[in-house]
Amino acid sequence: MSVSATDILPADAAGIARAARLLAAGRLVAFGTETVFGLGADATNATAVAAIFAAKGRPHFNPLICHYADAESAWSDVVPSEIALRLAAAFWPGPLTLVLPRRATSHVALLAGAGLDTLAVRVPQPASARALAAALARPIAAPSANRSGQVSPTSAAHVMASLGGRIDAILDSGACPVGLESAILDLTGGHPALLRAGGLPIEAIEACIGPVGRPISQAQAEAPRTLRSPGLMVSHYAPDLPVRLAAHHVDASEALLAFGPALPGAGLTFELSPAGDLTQAASRLFEGLRQLDEEGTRRGLVRIAAMPVPTRGLGLAINDRLARAAAPRST
Ligand code: TXA
Ligand code: MG
């Protein structure tokens, strides 16, 4: 992604319209929320979502939060439980993210949800952020607008210092009033569970819906998945078929995940990027794993063989995800 100058757009009607046009064209726009600035892309555009990870320099693909203009729009991508409806009525727009089952009809790119059957959704408080999602008429996928390993930005100047020159524009709605990421509540299990403590206090959540499960430690609250071994990571999609890495040959009993020119002889092949483009490969990774897993299982193939992917740029995150997919399972 070669972006020369990053425009700072005022959060007025003209600025919002311009930001929405950029997002619709697959570009990256940082925007202010009440918590921290988000690095936004059209959530339904897998290539644009891949560009988020490239701009952040993230070595792994975290699932991203989808931002909506209102609760009704969010419910078109996820199935709200009765508790979700109650929380949304009480706290949206506001600093609460809900993890819910993804609808089969959702057009959100698989990469945005890291291939999971669930999606994290929220309705941000600032009118400009909601107007942006409304103008785009699609969800905005957005992690915090900082390079990987840096602290979350709470002003346009922070975003500029971290990502200036790497993104197209910043919609500047002023300093973020909460200044702390949203609280994330998982509503997909038997009991609501807090995955990340955040801008909405747990006491407020519990006053609304009763006791919720808490993260075991603050470290886990901040990085819910990194402390668990890959086989236990509930929030990572794992194929049913075993995965063999760094394949330099393949046979008819295997489903091939190809990068660059595909190896001959596989029982089934999915091409991540025939030209060897890492952004294209990232945008197709979860789709590829799912297709090979489902179709390969149907055809009685024994495993997925993944061709080597270079470890530069997004290749690092692709390799991280493949290594997790190939790790021994505990179940
Ligand atoms: O306040 C916020 O939440 C900000 C603003 C921009 O909205 N966003 C933010 O995004 O903090 P990020 O990417 O830095 O953190 C998102 C967290 C990650 O820890 C991710 O693992 C979790 O949300 N997450 C997203 N989708 C999930 C899912 N389907 N299941 C479990 N966790 C999920
Ligand atoms: Mg972050």
Side-chain angles (χ1 to χ4, degrees):
M1 157 193 9
S2 52
V3 172
S4 47
T6 299
D7 289 336
I8 296 197
L9 305 171
D12 58 16
I16 290 165
R18 168 133 181 78
R21 280 196 303 275
L22 286 167
L23 289 174
R27 317 298 305 205
L28 301 184
V29 177
F31 62 101
T33 81
E34 76 281 34
T35 59
V36 301
F37 272 73
L39 174 53
D42 173 355
T44 67
N45 179 337
T47 308
V49 173
I52 288 180
F53 293 102
K56 281 187 70 92
R58 255 195 193 174
H60 48 85
F61 297 124
N62 271 350
L64 303 177
I65 297 171
C66 287
H67 299 70
Y68 295 84
D70 49 45
E72 282 318 305
S73 325
W75 306 151
S76 68
D77 283 323
V78 292
V79 185
S81 58
E82 199 249 312
I83 284 178
L85 293 171
R86 215 185 313 157
L87 288 165
F91 300 118
W92 280 356
L96 174 66
T97 294
L98 302 177
V99 176
L100 289 163
R102 177 190 169 113
R103 285 189 199 274
T105 51
S106 168
H107 290 121
V108 170
L110 282 183
L111 181 62
L116 302 172
D117 295 327
T118 59
L119 273 183
V121 300
R122 87 178 190 94
V123 178
Q125 219 155 50
S128 57
R130 284 179 281 130
L132 182 60
L136 181 64
R138 282 172 227 148
I140 303 173
S144 52
N146 52 278
R147 297 208 65 185
S148 186
Q150 300 179 340
V151 296
S152 295
T154 52
S155 72
H158 293 169
V159 179
M160 193 58 109
S162 186
L163 292 170
R166 302 175 70 87
I167 62 176
D168 286 271
I170 303 170
L171 186 66
D172 184 7
S173 49
C176 304
V178 175
L180 184 70
E181 288 93 341
S182 61
I184 303 179
L185 195 64
D186 183 356
L187 297 177
T188 61
H191 195 74
L194 193 69
L195 297 181
R196 178 176 76 183
L200 184 69
I202 189 168
E203 292 81 2
I205 297 171
E206 292 189 322
C208 180
I209 61 168
V212 309
R214 291 156 193 257
I216 290 159
S217 67
Q218 189 54 34
Q220 188 181 346
E222 281 158 6
R225 291 167 336 287
T226 53
L227 295 184
R228 301 179 203 165
S229 73
L232 294 176
M233 284 189 292
V234 286
S235 57
H236 272 288
Y237 164 73
D240 288 331
L241 288 179
V243 177
R244 178 167 76 83
L245 298 177
H248 290 283
H249 57 85
V250 66
D251 68 46
S253 71
E254 296 180 309
L256 180 70
L257 188 69
F259 180 80
L263 293 168
L268 174 71
T269 296
F270 184 96
E271 303 207 70
L272 286 175
S273 173
D277 179 90
L278 288 166
T279 302
Q280 184 186 32
S283 73
R284 292 170 55 76
L285 177 64
F286 291 105
E287 197 190 321
L289 284 171
R290 274 188 190 266
Q291 277 194 22
L292 293 179
D293 197 27
E294 285 168 20
E295 184 59 23
T297 300
R298 213 165 11 245
R299 297 193 195 178
L301 303 185
V302 300
R303 73 182 74 82
I304 295 169
M307 288 174 64
V309 174
T311 52
R312 69 191 143 76
L314 282 184
L316 209 57
I318 294 172
N319 277 291
D320 169 80
R321 188 62 195 79
L322 287 174
R324 290 170 194 274
R329 313 284 162 71
S330 55
T331 49

